[in-house]
Amino acid sequence: MISRHSLVLAAAFVFGLFHLAAVSGVIAISTMPMRLVHVAFAFSLLFAMKPLTPGLKGTKRDLAATLILIAAIVGASVWLITRWKAIAFSGGLTTDGDFYAGAIILLVVFEAARRGVGLILALITLVFFCYPFFSPYLPGILNGRGYSLERMVLFLTTDTQGVYGIPIGVAATYIIVFTIFGAMLSRFGAGDFFFEISTRLTRGLRAASAKSAVLFSTLIGMVSGSAAGNVAVTGTVTIPVMKREGYKAHQAGAIEAVASTGGQLMPPVMGAAAFIMAEIVGVPYTTVMSVAILPALLFFGSAFVVVHLQAVKSGIEPVQDAQHDGRPLGAVLIQGAPFIGAFGSLLALMLAGFSPFKASLWAMGVLIGLDVVSRRRADLALLKRIAGGIAEGSRNVVTISAACAAAGVISGTLGITGLGSKIALLIDVASNGHLFLALLFTMIASIILGMGLPTTAAYLILATVVAPALVKFGVPMLTAHFFVFYYGCISTITPPVALASYVAAGIAGADVNKVGWTAAAYAATSFVLPFAFVFGPGLLLQADSVANLMAVVTGVAGIGAVAAGVVGCLFSPLTPVNRLIVLAAGLCLLVQSWPTAAIGGLLLAWQVLQHAPRRPFSLKH
């Protein structure tokens, strides 16, 4: 008898193969049917993979509920696939059958959001969906004319402005191809190669294990695009090594949580949310990459400085007898040629104007081709790795699809009711027209809304709810979306609900809250950077060459100073007063104006001269 696991793997493989064929042009399919098929397939896989509740896993009740939900979403999707042309060509004329199919789809979306992402997202989605029914009875700015249940259901399910809107469209094209690409890299051994490169680059340095963890998480994060998933993959290797090197358990967990979170910010593959941002804002993904590169480098530069200074403060000395397999670096790079070639071709093709999903398809071809050349064989094992990568990547996209469908309900409700503009007006009124206060309120809202949610789900909510408020203040749309995207990312390490910190704490065997607060402190620069790039577009490389150069110089100096102030160590431990001075210097440098940069530079130079060691400074010491 075929097991449930085998059926899921087979279905996931077919799901992935269908999408690869569709985005490559082998299969010609219209937008609405493509999204309907995607949702039906993704939700069916999700219900087969995740139980109704953990306590019912493997029971007949769970199996019955799963089969009912799969039949419901498949049946309703098939109905709308047969009806979408008639609805579109008639200008939106619908039947009772369309309403019943739409109602079933919405109910399934709520359950998929609950199972796939969590109860928080399901409840948030339900609150927004119910708003039109209660808006006539609400006071003040929240008052609205209201809509009937039938109008809402049909609007959200028979049009491309609700469940089947932009988020699901991106999931069905960009995201699934990149999750398959990431899974393929993993199956072919990219993780081992990245870890080997990271350890070689940091061997012999003080805090080598922590620095290799930062580099390793950067490389893996570009593939996984999930903070908690990145911690689960890399933390099991890096956290125990950091603890053996001398870091306390909560420090090792915090370092891994911070580094893993930043992986979503690092081009060329920044995670699902970045592709959605490009589609919503209406810019090429390469533009998003160019905007993200300097903040990402500053994020990881800050993490690198933090782990070094923490090692200096804790008296952790360089480890000279680090493991070495004896191979020259050239041999390691030759073995990793398939991964270098895949990433190189991906970046080159996107810069050449190829769409991200077409570039990733070619990159997968390069990966497979170079693997065959390097191994000098194409056998059954190769086919298994390819099939396994397609199935794993397809499974990885189902929770993202659940979040995208839920976000479609939220954005559709905001659009039809005008609630989005009301929230923007609310922020405008609360800030009294001051941009800094608007940014502060947006930051708070972004972190709170992002708590307990994966980055993709967090960004989707923030992009529809709060980003438009910043646009009304004159902030460029891409900058506004990048602002909330940044806080959506770091909400995964912000207490009291910090998913990445939770996973890291479990691996480190440390107190969850201690890991969370330590991670938030280590990532202090990240809470400042979004304000800095709103007021100083040079940090996003969106200004003239002089401002861009200034942003690079002051940014590097600023994140170093902030890191020193957070850790409380420069070349040696700092007194509380000196710590505040160094922290103030860092903030002045990050503000992105000539007067504050001069003040920050002078303060930092004063502290450096005061605490500079008599011997030359080195990363090894």
Side-chain angles (χ1 to χ4, degrees):
M1 185 177 178
I2 301 176
S3 67
R4 183 171 178 171
H5 178 68
S6 298
L7 286 173
V8 168
L9 286 179
F13 174 74
V14 174
F15 179 43
L17 205 59
F18 164 75
H19 279 81
L20 290 178
V23 299
S24 64
V26 174
I27 296 175
I29 184 170
S30 300
T31 298
M32 191 65 175
M34 177 75 171
R35 297 178 183 182
L36 283 160
V37 171
H38 177 86
V39 169
F41 235 129
F43 284 12
S44 297
L45 278 173
L46 176 63
F47 296 139
M49 289 163 51
K50 293 181 178 290
L52 190 64
T53 64
L56 292 177
K57 185 176 182 180
T59 63
K60 290 183 179 180
R61 288 174 60 188
D62 177 60
L63 178 61
T66 296
L67 292 175
I68 291 171
L69 286 167
I70 291 175
I73 188 62
V74 171
S77 298
V78 169
W79 173 272
L80 287 182
I81 288 173
T82 63
R83 286 280 302 147
W84 77 274
K85 277 189 177 180
I87 295 172
F89 293 163
S90 66
L93 292 178
T94 56
T95 65
D96 289 344
D98 301 329
F99 168 73
Y100 293 131
I104 290 171
I105 287 171
L106 282 177
L107 289 173
V108 175
V109 166
F110 292 132
E111 174 59 12
R114 185 193 70 83
R115 282 205 203 190
V117 182
L119 185 60
I120 294 175
L121 178 61
L123 290 175
I124 291 174
T125 307
L126 183 60
V127 167
F128 276 94
F129 175 72
C130 291
Y131 168 75
F133 313 134
F134 297 101
S135 61
Y137 313 105
L138 296 176
I141 197 172
L142 295 177
N143 182 264
R145 70 174 189 174
Y147 289 89
S148 68
L149 177 63
E150 182 180 8
R151 177 78 175 95
M152 289 301 300
V153 168
L154 292 171
F155 176 78
L156 293 173
T157 57
T158 62
D159 202 341
T160 54
Q161 298 183 60
V163 172
Y164 301 103
I166 287 176
I168 278 294
V170 176
T173 50
Y174 297 86
I175 297 174
I176 189 168
V177 177
F178 271 89
T179 58
I180 291 173
F181 176 53
M184 201 87 76
L185 285 168
S186 178
R187 291 275 176 160
F188 278 73
D192 294 336
F193 170 69
F194 289 154
F195 183 69
E196 179 69 21
I197 291 296
S198 301
T199 53
R200 282 174 178 267
L201 289 174
T202 59
R203 183 172 285 117
L205 303 180
R206 188 195 290 267
S209 64
K211 289 170 182 172
S212 67
V214 172
L215 290 175
F216 186 36
S217 297
T218 306
L219 296 170
I220 291 295
M222 290 192 297
V223 177
S224 72
S226 166
N230 196 2
V231 172
V233 172
T234 63
T236 52
V237 176
T238 60
I239 289 175
V241 177
M242 282 190 277
K243 289 170 67 177
R244 286 198 300 270
E245 193 175 40
Y247 286 94
K248 296 177 182 177
H250 70 278
Q251 293 173 340
I255 290 167
E256 179 56 47
V258 171
S260 294
T261 297
Q264 300 170 102
L265 302 168
M266 179 60 74
V269 184
M270 300 167 56
F275 296 105
I276 297 171
M277 186 197 306
E279 194 72 13
I280 292 175
V281 177
V283 298
Y285 180 68
T286 48
T287 302
V288 176
M289 285 169 49
S290 66
V291 163
I293 186 65
L294 183 56
L297 292 174
L298 292 177
F299 182 99
F300 279 101
S302 174
F304 208 80
V305 174
V306 163
V307 299
H308 179 81
L309 295 179
Q310 186 63 63
V312 172
K313 187 177 181 180
S314 303
I316 298 173
E317 296 297 330
V319 178
Q320 300 298 337
D321 58 344
Q323 293 181 354
H324 197 296
D325 58 12
R327 289 185 300 162
L329 180 60
V332 176
L333 293 175
I334 290 173
Q335 186 179 356
F339 315 118
I340 298 172
F343 268 106
S345 60
L346 175 71
L347 190 57
L349 288 170
M350 284 197 291
L351 292 176
F354 280 66
S355 64
F357 52 83
K358 286 289 178 68
S360 63
L361 284 172
W362 281 105
M364 279 186 267
V366 170
L367 173 67
I368 295 169
L370 289 177
D371 182 80
V372 171
V373 171
S374 63
R375 295 176 185 269
R376 298 180 182 176
R377 64 179 183 271
D379 51 13
L380 185 60
L382 174 67
L383 295 177
K384 287 182 176 179
R385 286 199 298 274
I386 294 172
I390 293 173
E392 183 183 341
S394 301
R395 293 174 66 193
N396 291 342
V397 84
V398 298
T399 54
I400 297 174
S401 297
C404 288
V409 174
I410 294 172
S411 61
T413 304
L414 289 173
I416 193 173
T417 61
L419 181 59
S421 60
K422 292 179 180 180
I423 292 174
L425 179 60
L426 195 62
I427 292 176
D428 187 13
V429 171
S431 63
N432 198 26
H434 295 289
L435 178 58
F436 179 80
L437 289 177
L439 292 172
L440 183 64
F441 294 145
T442 303
M443 178 195 77
I444 295 170
S446 298
I447 292 175
I448 291 174
L449 288 173
M451 283 183 179
L453 295 176
T455 303
T456 304
Y459 168 71
L460 284 166
I461 293 175
L462 299 173
T464 53
V465 176
V466 294
L470 296 184
V471 175
K472 286 186 176 295
F473 272 84
V475 177
M477 183 177 286
L478 181 57
T479 304
H481 278 260
F482 201 69
F483 183 90
V484 299
F485 167 71
Y486 217 92
Y487 285 115
C489 287
I490 60 178
S491 68
T492 61
I493 54 171
T494 307
V497 183
L499 295 180
S501 297
Y502 287 174
V503 177
I507 297 172
D511 178 75
V512 169
N513 291 321
K514 204 168 186 180
V515 171
W517 288 113
T518 305
Y522 285 170
T525 306
S526 306
F527 292 92
V528 180
L529 273 177
F531 283 85
F533 61 60
V534 169
F535 291 107
L539 279 172
L540 298 181
L541 302 180
Q542 298 289 296
D544 57 72
S545 55
V546 174
N548 289 344
L549 179 61
M550 174 190 170
V552 173
V553 174
T554 59
V556 170
I559 61 104
V562 170
V566 167
V567 176
C569 179
L570 196 53
F571 300 101
S572 58
L574 296 170
T575 65
V577 173
N578 286 330
R579 191 171 179 174
L580 288 174
I581 293 172
V582 171
L583 191 60
L587 294 176
C588 286
L589 285 163
L590 289 175
V591 167
Q592 299 299 297
S593 73
W594 290 107
T596 58
I599 294 171
L602 289 172
L603 289 175
L604 182 59
W606 171 35
Q607 290 301 304
V608 168
L609 291 173
Q610 185 176 350
H611 295 89
R614 296 182 183 278
R615 59 178 177 172
F617 176 69
S618 168
L619 286 175
K620 294 186 178 183
H621 307 290

